[in-house]
mmCIF file with all atom_site columns, all heavy atoms in Angstrom:
data_model
loop_
_atom_site.group_PDB
_atom_site.id
_atom_site.type_symbol
_atom_site.label_atom_id
_atom_site.label_alt_id
_atom_site.label_comp_id
_atom_site.label_asym_id
_atom_site.label_entity_id
_atom_site.label_seq_id
_atom_site.pdbx_PDB_ins_code
_atom_site.Cartn_x
_atom_site.Cartn_y
_atom_site.Cartn_z
_atom_site.occupancy
_atom_site.B_iso_or_equiv
_atom_site.pdbx_formal_charge
_atom_site.auth_seq_id
_atom_site.auth_comp_id
_atom_site.auth_asym_id
_atom_site.auth_atom_id
_atom_site.pdbx_PDB_model_num
ATOM 1   N N   . GLY A 1 1  ? 0.784   -1.285 -0.006 1.00 59.00 ? 84  GLY A N   1
ATOM 2   C CA  . GLY A 1 1  ? -0.018  0.105  -0.002 1.00 59.00 ? 84  GLY A CA  1
ATOM 3   C C   . GLY A 1 1  ? 0.818   1.255  0.085  1.00 59.00 ? 84  GLY A C   1
ATOM 4   O O   . GLY A 1 1  ? 0.168   2.394  0.034  1.00 59.00 ? 84  GLY A O   1
ATOM 5   N N   . VAL A 1 2  ? 2.122   1.150  -0.047 1.00 64.00 ? 85  VAL A N   1
ATOM 6   C CA  . VAL A 1 2  ? 3.033   2.338  -0.190 1.00 64.00 ? 85  VAL A CA  1
ATOM 7   C C   . VAL A 1 2  ? 3.644   2.458  -1.414 1.00 64.00 ? 85  VAL A C   1
ATOM 8   O O   . VAL A 1 2  ? 4.432   1.524  -1.856 1.00 64.00 ? 85  VAL A O   1
ATOM 9   C CB  . VAL A 1 2  ? 4.043   2.350  0.998  1.00 64.00 ? 85  VAL A CB  1
ATOM 10  C CG1 . VAL A 1 2  ? 4.865   3.743  0.955  1.00 64.00 ? 85  VAL A CG1 1
ATOM 11  C CG2 . VAL A 1 2  ? 3.429   2.233  2.369  1.00 64.00 ? 85  VAL A CG2 1
ATOM 12  N N   . PRO A 1 3  ? 3.443   3.441  -2.308 1.00 63.00 ? 86  PRO A N   1
ATOM 13  C CA  . PRO A 1 3  ? 4.100   3.542  -3.519 1.00 63.00 ? 86  PRO A CA  1
ATOM 14  C C   . PRO A 1 3  ? 5.529   3.561  -3.419 1.00 63.00 ? 86  PRO A C   1
ATOM 15  O O   . PRO A 1 3  ? 6.110   4.154  -2.525 1.00 63.00 ? 86  PRO A O   1
ATOM 16  C CB  . PRO A 1 3  ? 3.556   4.939  -3.992 1.00 63.00 ? 86  PRO A CB  1
ATOM 17  C CG  . PRO A 1 3  ? 2.241   5.155  -3.425 1.00 63.00 ? 86  PRO A CG  1
ATOM 18  C CD  . PRO A 1 3  ? 2.488   4.542  -2.136 1.00 63.00 ? 86  PRO A CD  1
ATOM 19  N N   . ALA A 1 4  ? 6.244   2.946  -4.321 1.00 62.00 ? 87  ALA A N   1
ATOM 20  C CA  . ALA A 1 4  ? 7.768   2.790  -4.238 1.00 62.00 ? 87  ALA A CA  1
ATOM 21  C C   . ALA A 1 4  ? 8.466   4.161  -4.146 1.00 62.00 ? 87  ALA A C   1
ATOM 22  O O   . ALA A 1 4  ? 9.374   4.261  -3.474 1.00 62.00 ? 87  ALA A O   1
ATOM 23  C CB  . ALA A 1 4  ? 8.121   1.970  -5.408 1.00 62.00 ? 87  ALA A CB  1
ATOM 24  N N   . ASP A 1 5  ? 7.887   5.033  -4.955 1.00 61.00 ? 88  ASP A N   1
ATOM 25  C CA  . ASP A 1 5  ? 8.513   6.401  -4.997 1.00 61.00 ? 88  ASP A CA  1
ATOM 26  C C   . ASP A 1 5  ? 8.455   7.255  -3.701 1.00 61.00 ? 88  ASP A C   1
ATOM 27  O O   . ASP A 1 5  ? 9.081   8.207  -3.371 1.00 61.00 ? 88  ASP A O   1
ATOM 28  C CB  . ASP A 1 5  ? 8.079   7.249  -6.158 1.00 61.00 ? 88  ASP A CB  1
ATOM 29  C CG  . ASP A 1 5  ? 6.492   7.441  -6.005 1.00 61.00 ? 88  ASP A CG  1
ATOM 30  O OD1 . ASP A 1 5  ? 5.872   6.736  -5.304 1.00 61.00 ? 88  ASP A OD1 1
ATOM 31  O OD2 . ASP A 1 5  ? 6.032   8.358  -6.862 1.00 61.00 ? 88  ASP A OD2 1
ATOM 32  N N   . LEU A 1 6  ? 7.578   6.733  -2.755 1.00 62.00 ? 89  LEU A N   1
ATOM 33  C CA  . LEU A 1 6  ? 7.409   7.344  -1.420 1.00 62.00 ? 89  LEU A CA  1
ATOM 34  C C   . LEU A 1 6  ? 8.357   6.896  -0.358 1.00 62.00 ? 89  LEU A C   1
ATOM 35  O O   . LEU A 1 6  ? 8.632   7.407  0.618  1.00 62.00 ? 89  LEU A O   1
ATOM 36  C CB  . LEU A 1 6  ? 5.994   7.266  -0.920 1.00 62.00 ? 89  LEU A CB  1
ATOM 37  C CG  . LEU A 1 6  ? 5.010   8.405  -1.249 1.00 62.00 ? 89  LEU A CG  1
ATOM 38  C CD1 . LEU A 1 6  ? 3.638   8.163  -0.666 1.00 62.00 ? 89  LEU A CD1 1
ATOM 39  C CD2 . LEU A 1 6  ? 5.559   9.772  -0.711 1.00 62.00 ? 89  LEU A CD2 1
ATOM 40  N N   . LEU A 1 7  ? 8.815   5.587  -0.664 1.00 60.00 ? 90  LEU A N   1
ATOM 41  C CA  . LEU A 1 7  ? 9.560   4.888  0.493  1.00 60.00 ? 90  LEU A CA  1
ATOM 42  C C   . LEU A 1 7  ? 10.774  5.655  0.778  1.00 60.00 ? 90  LEU A C   1
ATOM 43  O O   . LEU A 1 7  ? 11.367  5.563  1.856  1.00 60.00 ? 90  LEU A O   1
ATOM 44  C CB  . LEU A 1 7  ? 9.953   3.447  -0.074 1.00 60.00 ? 90  LEU A CB  1
ATOM 45  C CG  . LEU A 1 7  ? 8.666   2.502  0.019  1.00 60.00 ? 90  LEU A CG  1
ATOM 46  C CD1 . LEU A 1 7  ? 9.073   1.137  -0.638 1.00 60.00 ? 90  LEU A CD1 1
ATOM 47  C CD2 . LEU A 1 7  ? 8.156   2.312  1.327  1.00 60.00 ? 90  LEU A CD2 1
ATOM 48  N N   . ALA A 1 8  ? 11.407  6.418  -0.225 1.00 59.00 ? 91  ALA A N   1
ATOM 49  C CA  . ALA A 1 8  ? 12.594  7.064  -0.041 1.00 59.00 ? 91  ALA A CA  1
ATOM 50  C C   . ALA A 1 8  ? 12.363  8.491  0.635  1.00 59.00 ? 91  ALA A C   1
ATOM 51  O O   . ALA A 1 8  ? 13.333  9.135  1.006  1.00 59.00 ? 91  ALA A O   1
ATOM 52  C CB  . ALA A 1 8  ? 13.313  7.370  -1.328 1.00 59.00 ? 91  ALA A CB  1
ATOM 53  N N   . HIS A 1 9  ? 11.182  8.837  0.869  1.00 63.00 ? 92  HIS A N   1
ATOM 54  C CA  . HIS A 1 9  ? 10.895  10.174 1.476  1.00 63.00 ? 92  HIS A CA  1
ATOM 55  C C   . HIS A 1 9  ? 10.232  9.894  2.833  1.00 63.00 ? 92  HIS A C   1
ATOM 56  O O   . HIS A 1 9  ? 9.030   10.050 2.979  1.00 63.00 ? 92  HIS A O   1
ATOM 57  C CB  . HIS A 1 9  ? 9.943   10.913 0.478  1.00 63.00 ? 92  HIS A CB  1
ATOM 58  C CG  . HIS A 1 9  ? 10.526  11.160 -0.820 1.00 63.00 ? 92  HIS A CG  1
ATOM 59  N ND1 . HIS A 1 9  ? 11.452  12.240 -1.016 1.00 63.00 ? 92  HIS A ND1 1
ATOM 60  C CD2 . HIS A 1 9  ? 10.362  10.527 -1.987 1.00 63.00 ? 92  HIS A CD2 1
ATOM 61  C CE1 . HIS A 1 9  ? 11.808  12.199 -2.252 1.00 63.00 ? 92  HIS A CE1 1
ATOM 62  N NE2 . HIS A 1 9  ? 11.143  11.100 -2.894 1.00 63.00 ? 92  HIS A NE2 1
ATOM 63  N N   . ARG A 1 10 ? 11.000  9.599  3.850  1.00 66.00 ? 93  ARG A N   1
ATOM 64  C CA  . ARG A 1 10 ? 10.528  9.355  5.145  1.00 66.00 ? 93  ARG A CA  1
ATOM 65  C C   . ARG A 1 10 ? 9.844   10.540 5.792  1.00 66.00 ? 93  ARG A C   1
ATOM 66  O O   . ARG A 1 10 ? 8.842   10.345 6.500  1.00 66.00 ? 93  ARG A O   1
ATOM 67  C CB  . ARG A 1 10 ? 11.694  8.866  5.952  1.00 66.00 ? 93  ARG A CB  1
ATOM 68  C CG  . ARG A 1 10 ? 12.518  7.728  5.545  1.00 66.00 ? 93  ARG A CG  1
ATOM 69  C CD  . ARG A 1 10 ? 11.721  6.452  5.649  1.00 66.00 ? 93  ARG A CD  1
ATOM 70  N NE  . ARG A 1 10 ? 11.479  5.984  6.935  1.00 66.00 ? 93  ARG A NE  1
ATOM 71  C CZ  . ARG A 1 10 ? 11.190  4.732  7.224  1.00 66.00 ? 93  ARG A CZ  1
ATOM 72  N NH1 . ARG A 1 10 ? 10.983  3.882  6.276  1.00 66.00 ? 93  ARG A NH1 1
ATOM 73  N NH2 . ARG A 1 10 ? 10.897  4.358  8.475  1.00 66.00 ? 93  ARG A NH2 1
ATOM 74  N N   . GLU A 1 11 ? 10.330  11.766 5.542  1.00 68.00 ? 94  GLU A N   1
ATOM 75  C CA  . GLU A 1 11 ? 9.598   12.929 6.112  1.00 68.00 ? 94  GLU A CA  1
ATOM 76  C C   . GLU A 1 11 ? 8.216   13.021 5.530  1.00 68.00 ? 94  GLU A C   1
ATOM 77  O O   . GLU A 1 11 ? 7.196   13.322 6.383  1.00 68.00 ? 94  GLU A O   1
ATOM 78  C CB  . GLU A 1 11 ? 10.474  14.157 5.747  1.00 68.00 ? 94  GLU A CB  1
ATOM 79  C CG  . GLU A 1 11 ? 11.830  14.223 6.358  1.00 68.00 ? 94  GLU A CG  1
ATOM 80  C CD  . GLU A 1 11 ? 12.818  13.522 5.428  1.00 68.00 ? 94  GLU A CD  1
ATOM 81  O OE1 . GLU A 1 11 ? 12.429  12.952 4.395  1.00 68.00 ? 94  GLU A OE1 1
ATOM 82  O OE2 . GLU A 1 11 ? 14.056  13.521 5.812  1.00 68.00 ? 94  GLU A OE2 1
ATOM 83  N N   . MET A 1 12 ? 8.043   12.823 4.225  1.00 67.00 ? 95  MET A N   1
ATOM 84  C CA  . MET A 1 12 ? 6.691   12.852 3.674  1.00 67.00 ? 95  MET A CA  1
ATOM 85  C C   . MET A 1 12 ? 5.786   11.674 4.234  1.00 67.00 ? 95  MET A C   1
ATOM 86  O O   . MET A 1 12 ? 4.653   11.931 4.634  1.00 67.00 ? 95  MET A O   1
ATOM 87  C CB  . MET A 1 12 ? 6.781   12.764 2.164  1.00 67.00 ? 95  MET A CB  1
ATOM 88  C CG  . MET A 1 12 ? 5.419   12.721 1.612  1.00 67.00 ? 95  MET A CG  1
ATOM 89  S SD  . MET A 1 12 ? 4.406   14.206 1.717  1.00 67.00 ? 95  MET A SD  1
ATOM 90  C CE  . MET A 1 12 ? 5.431   15.242 0.637  1.00 67.00 ? 95  MET A CE  1
ATOM 91  N N   . LEU A 1 13 ? 6.377   10.467 4.411  1.00 71.00 ? 96  LEU A N   1
ATOM 92  C CA  . LEU A 1 13 ? 5.573   9.465  4.928  1.00 71.00 ? 96  LEU A CA  1
ATOM 93  C C   . LEU A 1 13 ? 5.220   9.673  6.405  1.00 71.00 ? 96  LEU A C   1
ATOM 94  O O   . LEU A 1 13 ? 4.056   9.325  6.866  1.00 71.00 ? 96  LEU A O   1
ATOM 95  C CB  . LEU A 1 13 ? 6.460   8.120  4.848  1.00 71.00 ? 96  LEU A CB  1
ATOM 96  C CG  . LEU A 1 13 ? 6.556   7.473  3.524  1.00 71.00 ? 96  LEU A CG  1
ATOM 97  C CD1 . LEU A 1 13 ? 7.629   6.342  3.610  1.00 71.00 ? 96  LEU A CD1 1
ATOM 98  C CD2 . LEU A 1 13 ? 5.278   7.006  3.040  1.00 71.00 ? 96  LEU A CD2 1
ATOM 99  N N   . ALA A 1 14 ? 6.005   10.316 7.099  1.00 73.00 ? 97  ALA A N   1
ATOM 100 C CA  . ALA A 1 14 ? 5.750   10.684 8.500  1.00 73.00 ? 97  ALA A CA  1
ATOM 101 C C   . ALA A 1 14 ? 4.495   11.640 8.643  1.00 73.00 ? 97  ALA A C   1
ATOM 102 O O   . ALA A 1 14 ? 3.682   11.557 9.633  1.00 73.00 ? 97  ALA A O   1
ATOM 103 C CB  . ALA A 1 14 ? 6.923   11.385 9.230  1.00 73.00 ? 97  ALA A CB  1
ATOM 104 N N   . LEU A 1 15 ? 4.378   12.388 7.641  1.00 76.00 ? 98  LEU A N   1
ATOM 105 C CA  . LEU A 1 15 ? 3.172   13.287 7.656  1.00 76.00 ? 98  LEU A CA  1
ATOM 106 C C   . LEU A 1 15 ? 1.884   12.627 7.270  1.00 76.00 ? 98  LEU A C   1
ATOM 107 O O   . LEU A 1 15 ? 0.722   13.067 7.682  1.00 76.00 ? 98  LEU A O   1
ATOM 108 C CB  . LEU A 1 15 ? 3.423   14.437 6.581  1.00 76.00 ? 98  LEU A CB  1
ATOM 109 C CG  . LEU A 1 15 ? 4.545   15.529 6.840  1.00 76.00 ? 98  LEU A CG  1
ATOM 110 C CD1 . LEU A 1 15 ? 4.757   16.417 5.757  1.00 76.00 ? 98  LEU A CD1 1
ATOM 111 C CD2 . LEU A 1 15 ? 4.317   16.232 8.200  1.00 76.00 ? 98  LEU A CD2 1
ATOM 112 N N   . LEU A 1 16 ? 2.033   11.483 6.506  1.00 80.00 ? 99  LEU A N   1
ATOM 113 C CA  . LEU A 1 16 ? 0.867   10.814 6.176  1.00 80.00 ? 99  LEU A CA  1
ATOM 114 C C   . LEU A 1 16 ? 0.415   9.723  7.239  1.00 80.00 ? 99  LEU A C   1
ATOM 115 O O   . LEU A 1 16 ? -0.808  9.351  7.124  1.00 80.00 ? 99  LEU A O   1
ATOM 116 C CB  . LEU A 1 16 ? 1.123   10.022 4.813  1.00 80.00 ? 99  LEU A CB  1
ATOM 117 C CG  . LEU A 1 16 ? 1.525   10.870 3.665  1.00 80.00 ? 99  LEU A CG  1
ATOM 118 C CD1 . LEU A 1 16 ? 1.911   10.083 2.394  1.00 80.00 ? 99  LEU A CD1 1
ATOM 119 C CD2 . LEU A 1 16 ? 0.384   11.945 3.209  1.00 80.00 ? 99  LEU A CD2 1
ATOM 120 N N   . LEU A 1 17 ? 1.307   9.389  8.067  1.00 83.00 ? 100 LEU A N   1
ATOM 121 C CA  . LEU A 1 17 ? 0.948   8.203  9.049  1.00 83.00 ? 100 LEU A CA  1
ATOM 122 C C   . LEU A 1 17 ? -0.264  8.570  9.943  1.00 83.00 ? 100 LEU A C   1
ATOM 123 O O   . LEU A 1 17 ? -0.955  7.650  10.309 1.00 83.00 ? 100 LEU A O   1
ATOM 124 C CB  . LEU A 1 17 ? 2.161   7.833  9.767  1.00 83.00 ? 100 LEU A CB  1
ATOM 125 C CG  . LEU A 1 17 ? 3.263   7.025  9.048  1.00 83.00 ? 100 LEU A CG  1
ATOM 126 C CD1 . LEU A 1 17 ? 4.421   6.777  9.980  1.00 83.00 ? 100 LEU A CD1 1
ATOM 127 C CD2 . LEU A 1 17 ? 2.667   5.808  8.602  1.00 83.00 ? 100 LEU A CD2 1
ATOM 128 N N   . PRO A 1 18 ? -0.397  9.852  10.391 1.00 87.00 ? 101 PRO A N   1
ATOM 129 C CA  . PRO A 1 18 ? -1.563  10.053 11.306 1.00 87.00 ? 101 PRO A CA  1
ATOM 130 C C   . PRO A 1 18 ? -2.885  9.762  10.576 1.00 87.00 ? 101 PRO A C   1
ATOM 131 O O   . PRO A 1 18 ? -3.773  9.245  11.320 1.00 87.00 ? 101 PRO A O   1
ATOM 132 C CB  . PRO A 1 18 ? -1.384  11.579 11.709 1.00 87.00 ? 101 PRO A CB  1
ATOM 133 C CG  . PRO A 1 18 ? 0.084   11.825 11.538 1.00 87.00 ? 101 PRO A CG  1
ATOM 134 C CD  . PRO A 1 18 ? 0.538   10.934 10.387 1.00 87.00 ? 101 PRO A CD  1
ATOM 135 N N   . THR A 1 19 ? -2.951  10.111 9.367  1.00 89.00 ? 102 THR A N   1
ATOM 136 C CA  . THR A 1 19 ? -4.241  9.783  8.602  1.00 89.00 ? 102 THR A CA  1
ATOM 137 C C   . THR A 1 19 ? -4.453  8.292  8.433  1.00 89.00 ? 102 THR A C   1
ATOM 138 O O   . THR A 1 19 ? -5.516  7.761  8.608  1.00 89.00 ? 102 THR A O   1
ATOM 139 C CB  . THR A 1 19 ? -4.262  10.515 7.373  1.00 89.00 ? 102 THR A CB  1
ATOM 140 O OG1 . THR A 1 19 ? -4.362  11.898 7.601  1.00 89.00 ? 102 THR A OG1 1
ATOM 141 C CG2 . THR A 1 19 ? -5.482  9.991  6.466  1.00 89.00 ? 102 THR A CG2 1
ATOM 142 N N   . LEU A 1 20 ? -3.313  7.612  8.090  1.00 85.00 ? 103 LEU A N   1
ATOM 143 C CA  . LEU A 1 20 ? -3.421  6.180  7.941  1.00 85.00 ? 103 LEU A CA  1
ATOM 144 C C   . LEU A 1 20 ? -3.832  5.514  9.303  1.00 85.00 ? 103 LEU A C   1
ATOM 145 O O   . LEU A 1 20 ? -4.753  4.677  9.390  1.00 85.00 ? 103 LEU A O   1
ATOM 146 C CB  . LEU A 1 20 ? -2.035  5.610  7.563  1.00 85.00 ? 103 LEU A CB  1
ATOM 147 C CG  . LEU A 1 20 ? -1.879  4.068  7.593  1.00 85.00 ? 103 LEU A CG  1
ATOM 148 C CD1 . LEU A 1 20 ? -3.005  3.452  6.680  1.00 85.00 ? 103 LEU A CD1 1
ATOM 149 C CD2 . LEU A 1 20 ? -0.505  3.722  7.172  1.00 85.00 ? 103 LEU A CD2 1
ATOM 150 N N   . ARG A 1 21 ? -3.220  5.961  10.375 1.00 89.00 ? 104 ARG A N   1
ATOM 151 C CA  . ARG A 1 21 ? -3.570  5.405  11.754 1.00 89.00 ? 104 ARG A CA  1
ATOM 152 C C   . ARG A 1 21 ? -5.080  5.647  12.117 1.00 89.00 ? 104 ARG A C   1
ATOM 153 O O   . ARG A 1 21 ? -5.709  4.855  12.625 1.00 89.00 ? 104 ARG A O   1
ATOM 154 C CB  . ARG A 1 21 ? -2.718  6.068  12.795 1.00 89.00 ? 104 ARG A CB  1
ATOM 155 C CG  . ARG A 1 21 ? -2.691  5.345  14.109 1.00 89.00 ? 104 ARG A CG  1
ATOM 156 C CD  . ARG A 1 21 ? -1.807  6.046  15.184 1.00 89.00 ? 104 ARG A CD  1
ATOM 157 N NE  . ARG A 1 21 ? -0.477  6.143  14.693 1.00 89.00 ? 104 ARG A NE  1
ATOM 158 C CZ  . ARG A 1 21 ? 0.500   5.138  14.762 1.00 89.00 ? 104 ARG A CZ  1
ATOM 159 N NH1 . ARG A 1 21 ? 0.062   3.998  15.187 1.00 89.00 ? 104 ARG A NH1 1
ATOM 160 N NH2 . ARG A 1 21 ? 1.686   5.278  14.279 1.00 89.00 ? 104 ARG A NH2 1
ATOM 161 N N   . ALA A 1 22 ? -5.578  6.969  11.766 1.00 91.00 ? 105 ALA A N   1
ATOM 162 C CA  . ALA A 1 22 ? -6.977  7.247  12.071 1.00 91.00 ? 105 ALA A CA  1
ATOM 163 C C   . ALA A 1 22 ? -7.857  6.321  11.279 1.00 91.00 ? 105 ALA A C   1
ATOM 164 O O   . ALA A 1 22 ? -8.918  5.796  11.760 1.00 91.00 ? 105 ALA A O   1
ATOM 165 C CB  . ALA A 1 22 ? -7.195  8.618  11.657 1.00 91.00 ? 105 ALA A CB  1
ATOM 166 N N   . ASP A 1 23 ? -7.554  6.138  9.949  1.00 90.00 ? 106 ASP A N   1
ATOM 167 C CA  . ASP A 1 23 ? -8.386  5.202  9.085  1.00 90.00 ? 106 ASP A CA  1
ATOM 168 C C   . ASP A 1 23 ? -8.378  3.753  9.584  1.00 90.00 ? 106 ASP A C   1
ATOM 169 O O   . ASP A 1 23 ? -9.442  3.118  9.646  1.00 90.00 ? 106 ASP A O   1
ATOM 170 C CB  . ASP A 1 23 ? -7.854  5.249  7.638  1.00 90.00 ? 106 ASP A CB  1
ATOM 171 C CG  . ASP A 1 23 ? -8.102  6.597  6.928  1.00 90.00 ? 106 ASP A CG  1
ATOM 172 O OD1 . ASP A 1 23 ? -8.763  7.377  7.422  1.00 90.00 ? 106 ASP A OD1 1
ATOM 173 O OD2 . ASP A 1 23 ? -7.531  6.733  5.801  1.00 90.00 ? 106 ASP A OD2 1
ATOM 174 N N   . LEU A 1 24 ? -7.242  3.271  10.032 1.00 90.00 ? 107 LEU A N   1
ATOM 175 C CA  . LEU A 1 24 ? -7.198  2.017  10.609 1.00 90.00 ? 107 LEU A CA  1
ATOM 176 C C   . LEU A 1 24 ? -8.026  1.878  11.860 1.00 90.00 ? 107 LEU A C   1
ATOM 177 O O   . LEU A 1 24 ? -8.407  0.834  12.200 1.00 90.00 ? 107 LEU A O   1
ATOM 178 C CB  . LEU A 1 24 ? -5.733  1.508  10.780 1.00 90.00 ? 107 LEU A CB  1
ATOM 179 C CG  . LEU A 1 24 ? -4.940  1.352  9.454  1.00 90.00 ? 107 LEU A CG  1
ATOM 180 C CD1 . LEU A 1 24 ? -3.440  0.989  9.718  1.00 90.00 ? 107 LEU A CD1 1
ATOM 181 C CD2 . LEU A 1 24 ? -5.573  0.201  8.625  1.00 90.00 ? 107 LEU A CD2 1
ATOM 182 N N   . THR A 1 25 ? -8.046  2.980  12.660 1.00 90.00 ? 108 THR A N   1
ATOM 183 C CA  . THR A 1 25 ? -8.899  3.003  13.833 1.00 90.00 ? 108 THR A CA  1
ATOM 184 C C   . THR A 1 25 ? -10.336 2.885  13.498 1.00 90.00 ? 108 THR A C   1
ATOM 185 O O   . THR A 1 25 ? -11.067 2.259  14.220 1.00 90.00 ? 108 THR A O   1
ATOM 186 C CB  . THR A 1 25 ? -8.626  4.259  14.610 1.00 90.00 ? 108 THR A CB  1
ATOM 187 O OG1 . THR A 1 25 ? -7.216  4.362  14.935 1.00 90.00 ? 108 THR A OG1 1
ATOM 188 C CG2 . THR A 1 25 ? -9.474  4.399  15.880 1.00 90.00 ? 108 THR A CG2 1
ATOM 189 N N   . VAL A 1 26 ? -10.706 3.501  12.397 1.00 90.00 ? 109 VAL A N   1
ATOM 190 C CA  . VAL A 1 26 ? -12.100 3.420  11.845 1.00 90.00 ? 109 VAL A CA  1
ATOM 191 C C   . VAL A 1 26 ? -12.485 1.911  11.715 1.00 90.00 ? 109 VAL A C   1
ATOM 192 O O   . VAL A 1 26 ? -13.489 1.420  12.126 1.00 90.00 ? 109 VAL A O   1
ATOM 193 C CB  . VAL A 1 26 ? -12.229 4.107  10.520 1.00 90.00 ? 109 VAL A CB  1
ATOM 194 C CG1 . VAL A 1 26 ? -13.563 3.737  9.915  1.00 90.00 ? 109 VAL A CG1 1
ATOM 195 C CG2 . VAL A 1 26 ? -12.292 5.725  10.762 1.00 90.00 ? 109 VAL A CG2 1
ATOM 196 N N   . CYS A 1 27 ? -11.507 1.152  11.027 1.00 89.00 ? 110 CYS A N   1
ATOM 197 C CA  . CYS A 1 27 ? -11.697 -0.269 10.697 1.00 89.00 ? 110 CYS A CA  1
ATOM 198 C C   . CYS A 1 27 ? -11.768 -1.060 12.074 1.00 89.00 ? 110 CYS A C   1
ATOM 199 O O   . CYS A 1 27 ? -12.671 -1.968 12.194 1.00 89.00 ? 110 CYS A O   1
ATOM 200 C CB  . CYS A 1 27 ? -10.675 -0.862 9.874  1.00 89.00 ? 110 CYS A CB  1
ATOM 201 S SG  . CYS A 1 27 ? -10.528 0.016  8.283  1.00 89.00 ? 110 CYS A SG  1
ATOM 202 N N   . ALA A 1 28 ? -10.912 -0.783 12.928 1.00 87.00 ? 111 ALA A N   1
ATOM 203 C CA  . ALA A 1 28 ? -10.833 -1.485 14.192 1.00 87.00 ? 111 ALA A CA  1
ATOM 204 C C   . ALA A 1 28 ? -12.027 -1.259 14.988 1.00 87.00 ? 111 ALA A C   1
ATOM 205 O O   . ALA A 1 28 ? -12.481 -2.133 15.873 1.00 87.00 ? 111 ALA A O   1
ATOM 206 C CB  . ALA A 1 28 ? -9.522  -1.214 14.967 1.00 87.00 ? 111 ALA A CB  1
ATOM 207 N N   . ARG A 1 29 ? -12.619 -0.084 15.051 1.00 84.00 ? 112 ARG A N   1
ATOM 208 C CA  . ARG A 1 29 ? -13.718 0.279  15.932 1.00 84.00 ? 112 ARG A CA  1
ATOM 209 C C   . ARG A 1 29 ? -15.083 0.007  15.189 1.00 84.00 ? 112 ARG A C   1
ATOM 210 O O   . ARG A 1 29 ? -16.143 0.057  15.852 1.00 84.00 ? 112 ARG A O   1
ATOM 211 C CB  . ARG A 1 29 ? -13.688 1.737  16.141 1.00 84.00 ? 112 ARG A CB  1
ATOM 212 C CG  . ARG A 1 29 ? -12.662 2.245  17.165 1.00 84.00 ? 112 ARG A CG  1
ATOM 213 C CD  . ARG A 1 29 ? -12.762 3.721  17.389 1.00 84.00 ? 112 ARG A CD  1
ATOM 214 N NE  . ARG A 1 29 ? -11.682 4.160  18.442 1.00 84.00 ? 112 ARG A NE  1
ATOM 215 C CZ  . ARG A 1 29 ? -11.626 5.488  18.722 1.00 84.00 ? 112 ARG A CZ  1
ATOM 216 N NH1 . ARG A 1 29 ? -12.191 6.364  18.072 1.00 84.00 ? 112 ARG A NH1 1
ATOM 217 N NH2 . ARG A 1 29 ? -10.639 5.761  19.664 1.00 84.00 ? 112 ARG A NH2 1
ATOM 218 N N   . TYR A 1 30 ? -15.010 -0.364 13.979 1.00 86.00 ? 113 TYR A N   1
ATOM 219 C CA  . TYR A 1 30 ? -16.284 -0.592 13.248 1.00 86.00 ? 113 TYR A CA  1
ATOM 220 C C   . TYR A 1 30 ? -17.098 -1.693 13.911 1.00 86.00 ? 113 TYR A C   1
ATOM 221 O O   . TYR A 1 30 ? -16.588 -2.914 14.074 1.00 86.00 ? 113 TYR A O   1
ATOM 222 C CB  . TYR A 1 30 ? -16.029 -1.049 11.770 1.00 86.00 ? 113 TYR A CB  1
ATOM 223 C CG  . TYR A 1 30 ? -17.269 -1.066 10.920 1.00 86.00 ? 113 TYR A CG  1
ATOM 224 C CD1 . TYR A 1 30 ? -17.610 0.187  10.191 1.00 86.00 ? 113 TYR A CD1 1
ATOM 225 C CD2 . TYR A 1 30 ? -18.136 -2.086 10.695 1.00 86.00 ? 113 TYR A CD2 1
ATOM 226 C CE1 . TYR A 1 30 ? -18.698 0.290  9.409  1.00 86.00 ? 113 TYR A CE1 1
ATOM 227 C CE2 . TYR A 1 30 ? -19.222 -1.929 9.902  1.00 86.00 ? 113 TYR A CE2 1
ATOM 228 C CZ  . TYR A 1 30 ? -19.527 -0.873 9.299  1.00 86.00 ? 113 TYR A CZ  1
ATOM 229 O OH  . TYR A 1 30 ? -20.597 -0.766 8.526  1.00 86.00 ? 113 TYR A OH  1
ATOM 230 N N   . ARG A 1 31 ? -18.319 -1.390 14.338 1.00 74.00 ? 114 ARG A N   1
ATOM 231 C CA  . ARG A 1 31 ? -19.130 -2.362 15.087 1.00 74.00 ? 114 ARG A CA  1
ATOM 232 C C   . ARG A 1 31 ? -19.742 -3.343 14.088 1.00 74.00 ? 114 ARG A C   1
ATOM 233 O O   . ARG A 1 31 ? -20.376 -2.891 13.104 1.00 74.00 ? 114 ARG A O   1
ATOM 234 C CB  . ARG A 1 31 ? -20.203 -1.621 15.869 1.00 74.00 ? 114 ARG A CB  1
ATOM 235 C CG  . ARG A 1 31 ? -19.619 -0.692 16.958 1.00 74.00 ? 114 ARG A CG  1
ATOM 236 C CD  . ARG A 1 31 ? -20.763 -0.034 17.705 1.00 74.00 ? 114 ARG A CD  1
ATOM 237 N NE  . ARG A 1 31 ? -20.200 0.848  18.897 1.00 74.00 ? 114 ARG A NE  1
ATOM 238 C CZ  . ARG A 1 31 ? -20.964 1.579  19.690 1.00 74.00 ? 114 ARG A CZ  1
ATOM 239 N NH1 . ARG A 1 31 ? -22.298 1.621  19.400 1.00 74.00 ? 114 ARG A NH1 1
ATOM 240 N NH2 . ARG A 1 31 ? -20.356 2.276  20.561 1.00 74.00 ? 114 ARG A NH2 1
#
């Protein structure tokens, strides 16, 4: 799920992780 061209840009990935974490929380909390 991570495009290859993003893997070299750790700073950019760090900015995206909060949204990814929130989305995965949606899935985990889904009743």
Side-chain angles (χ1 to χ4, degrees):
V85 181
D88 57 347
L89 266 183
L90 290 175
H92 300 280
R93 304 290 290 196
E94 297 84 0
M95 177 64 71
L96 285 171
L98 294 175
L99 301 176
L100 285 178
T102 292
L103 172 60
R104 193 182 302 280
D106 289 352
L107 293 173
T108 302
V109 168
C110 297
R112 289 180 175 176
Y113 193 90
R114 294 180 178 179

